[in-house]
Amino acid sequence: MAVDYAVIIIYLAGMLAMGWWGMRRAKSKSEFLVAGRRLGPGMYSGTMAAIVLGGASTIGGVGLGYQYGLSGAWMVFAIGLGLLALSVFFSARIARLKVYTVSEMLDLRYAGRAGIISGVVMWAYTLMLAVTSTIAYATIFDVLFDLNRTVAIILGGAIVVAYSTLGGMWSITLTDMVQFVVKTIGVLLLLLPIAVIKAGGFSEMKAKLPTEYFDPLGIGGETIFTYVLIYTFGMLIGQDIWQRVFTARSDKVARIGGTVAGTYCLVYAIAGAVIGTAAKVMYPTLPSADSAFATIVKDELPIGVRGLVLAAALAAVMSTSSGALIACATVANNDIWSRLRGAVSRGGGAAEGEHDEVKGNRVFILVMGVAVILIAIALNDVVEALTVAYNLLVGGLLVPILGGLLWRRGTAAGALAAVSVGGLAVIGLMAAYGILANEPVYYGLPASLAVYVIVSLATKPTDAAVLAAWRERLAGRGADTEEPVNEPATT
């Protein structure tokens, strides 16, 4: 294992080094939070794919393949479909708004009266997303170093908090690009073919497993529908995803680069399911489906390759964790704390170069990072935490966000009602039916939609001047000019 340890240690040291490099580059709010809005298509595609394909997509995706066969790909497949939909239909408009948060977009669309409530809901979502990613460190470091769960969470979390705090989005972008390459090599090019070969090939897999393992719908229609409802729609509105869209150099980069990333996710989904299916052939009686990834890596891969694949799993967790952390801190600072202090800027697009602006965001990332680590240590159930996060996001914010983008008649009163009713509905239904039940999002989302439409039609239409300003921003006009960029755009 010495070679494997060396690979992991070099990888982790590289992450910290990139954080230090990013600190020297991130001199303004725009550079720190959205990488100066100047990523080209190559880097944008890699970093977008990295953030959406986290530990749940890698370790969990293989586990679903172990449990259900090829249909276990549907969870990650739904994530890819959501990213494709976002990129094709919405990303260009989102990129042209030149804002920093989803709540700022709602402020522009609804005349500044929907921001703080939506900010609280989005903050809760990003916090739980960061927590679930941080918990996953325990699994990986247990396999690597046989570490205590608490120590593993502190070690992994501290590294992510360190490079995120130092360089902000520039550090996260650079580390995510490395993580994308490591995941591609480790999972797609190494683990996938080795697993299939070790299982005896597809013919042997079909001979040893029940036929339902090769049924594309074997996981069940209701489960697939729930995945699409939660993950596909969740991709459309999450602050962690939107903040990456804001980094695009142009709306064309956001659209094309995101489409490439979404397509990559579909391939990754199938690969994870195939690896899990192969693991079922080799280890038919594992105590937990989620242990399939670690087991096949530990027992079947040669020295060196094993270290690289475990680094790929670590990369998957770190990319989601860092993206969720900076999103959580951005929302906490811009949408909650600044509003409570009465210091929010209604312009939304200005790129402030003040040093204390960067320092303030660093402080929030550090504080949120420590909170995430402490909650991760105290919390045991990853699935429940992630379900709460996505139920709140989809049930509370999907309707007012998409309504604002697609329906001119939507009003601020309708948006506030939709956030309140949808959020309270999913919370109440989770209490009644259980956190893992499907009913909260099944009923909470229609309730949010109904209230949004009824209240919007019953109240005075949004002021024409507000809508005119909104259309100007959607067209890429009307935003304050970003600070000048002296370096060439990153491609």
Side-chain angles (χ1 to χ4, degrees):
M1 287 289 287
V3 176
D4 297 325
Y5 291 159
V7 171
I8 298 297
I9 291 170
I10 290 170
Y11 168 77
L12 294 176
M15 297 299 100
L16 292 174
M18 288 182 187
W20 183 260
W21 185 91
M23 181 180 68
R24 300 175 60 190
R25 185 164 187 143
K27 300 297 185 182
S28 69
K29 179 179 179 180
S30 176
E31 294 283 351
F32 191 82
L33 293 182
V34 291
R37 306 188 195 276
R38 54 198 180 96
L39 297 190
M43 187 165 281
Y44 179 87
S45 297
T47 57
M48 182 62 88
I51 188 176
V52 300
L53 295 174
S57 300
T58 303
I59 299 171
V62 171
L64 287 171
Y66 182 88
Q67 190 172 359
Y68 299 104
L70 298 185
S71 66
W74 271 106
M75 184 187 76
V76 184
F77 208 80
I79 291 173
L81 291 177
L83 187 52
L84 284 172
L86 173 72
S87 302
V88 172
F89 299 113
F90 300 107
S91 64
R93 281 180 280 182
I94 293 170
R96 288 195 293 264
L97 287 172
K98 294 292 190 291
V99 295
Y100 292 105
T101 68
V102 175
S103 293
E104 287 182 33
M105 167 264 168
L106 292 172
D107 270 355
L108 289 169
R109 173 60 181 82
Y110 298 114
R113 286 182 285 171
I116 193 162
I117 295 178
S118 63
V120 171
V121 174
M122 189 64 77
W123 174 77
Y125 157 73
T126 53
L127 180 69
M128 284 297 100
L129 186 62
V131 167
T132 57
S133 302
T134 303
I135 290 173
Y137 294 130
T139 301
I140 298 170
F141 280 109
D142 177 57
V143 174
L144 287 173
F145 307 116
D146 194 26
L147 288 179
N148 172 270
R149 178 182 183 274
T150 299
V151 175
I153 289 173
I154 292 173
L155 175 60
I159 292 171
V160 169
V161 172
Y163 73 69
S164 300
T165 302
L166 286 172
M169 186 59 81
W170 268 121
S171 294
I172 293 170
T173 296
L174 292 171
T175 54
D176 277 0
M177 197 63 201
V178 173
Q179 289 158 358
F180 168 74
V181 172
V182 170
K183 279 190 284 191
T184 301
I185 295 173
V187 176
L188 296 185
L189 301 183
L190 292 176
L191 184 58
L192 175 61
I194 290 173
V196 172
I197 291 170
K198 291 282 188 178
F202 282 103
S203 57
E204 188 70 14
M205 290 162 63
K206 287 185 176 180
K208 290 188 175 181
L209 294 173
T211 56
E212 55 262 29
Y213 263 71
F214 302 92
D215 180 0
L217 304 178
I219 199 169
E222 184 178 352
T223 299
I224 294 171
F225 177 74
T226 303
Y227 284 156
V228 170
L229 193 62
I230 293 177
Y231 295 114
T232 300
F233 284 114
M235 286 295 108
L236 299 179
I237 58 174
Q239 169 68 23
D240 52 323
I241 309 302
W242 276 42
Q243 198 156 345
R244 294 312 174 97
V245 176
F246 300 150
T247 66
R249 185 173 60 202
S250 66
D251 55 2
K252 184 177 180 181
V253 168
R255 185 173 61 253
I256 296 175
T259 302
V260 171
T263 305
Y264 178 91
C265 291
L266 302 183
V267 174
Y268 201 88
I270 296 170
V274 171
I275 293 168
T277 305
K280 183 68 175 179
V281 173
M282 290 182 277
Y283 309 98
T285 57
L286 287 177
S288 167
D290 282 342
S291 65
F293 180 89
T295 302
I296 195 171
V297 168
K298 195 172 184 179
D299 294 350
E300 302 297 336
L301 299 186
I303 293 173
V305 173
R306 179 170 50 205
L308 183 60
V309 173
L310 286 172
L314 196 57
V317 176
M318 282 187 161
S319 57
T320 300
S321 181
S322 59
L325 176 59
I326 194 171
C328 179
T330 302
V331 171
N333 188 8
N334 286 15
D335 295 337
I336 301 175
W337 177 244
S338 291
R339 294 168 193 271
L340 292 175
R341 292 173 56 206
V344 65
S345 169
R346 297 301 179 188
E352 297 144 35
E354 309 291 340
H355 176 71
D356 60 350
E357 193 75 23
V358 175
K359 182 179 178 180
N361 281 293
R362 280 201 176 104
V363 170
F364 267 87
I365 290 179
L366 181 60
V367 171
M368 291 297 106
V370 172
V372 164
I373 291 172
L374 293 176
I375 295 171
I377 291 171
L379 200 63
N380 288 317
D381 199 317
V382 180
V383 176
E384 287 195 357
L386 195 62
T387 301
V388 170
Y390 272 98
N391 280 350
L392 281 173
L393 179 69
V394 175
L397 292 181
L398 179 67
V399 170
I401 292 172
L402 294 189
L405 289 170
L406 300 174
W407 192 38
R408 181 177 177 177
R409 187 61 181 82
T411 66
L416 288 169
V419 173
S420 302
V421 171
L424 291 174
V426 294
I427 291 172
L429 290 166
M430 281 190 290
Y433 289 96
I435 290 176
L436 299 180
N438 293 328
E439 285 82 1
V441 73
Y442 283 178
Y443 301 145
L445 186 56
S448 178
L449 177 59
V451 169
Y452 180 72
V453 172
I454 292 170
V455 174
S456 292
L457 292 176
T459 52
K460 184 181 178 181
T462 304
D463 186 83
V466 173
L467 287 178
W470 167 250
R471 287 193 295 271
E472 285 291 297
R473 291 293 287 265
L474 282 179
R477 301 183 295 269
D480 293 335
T481 304
E482 293 279 7
E483 57 203 347
V485 176
N486 297 319
E487 300 177 51
T490 304
T491 58

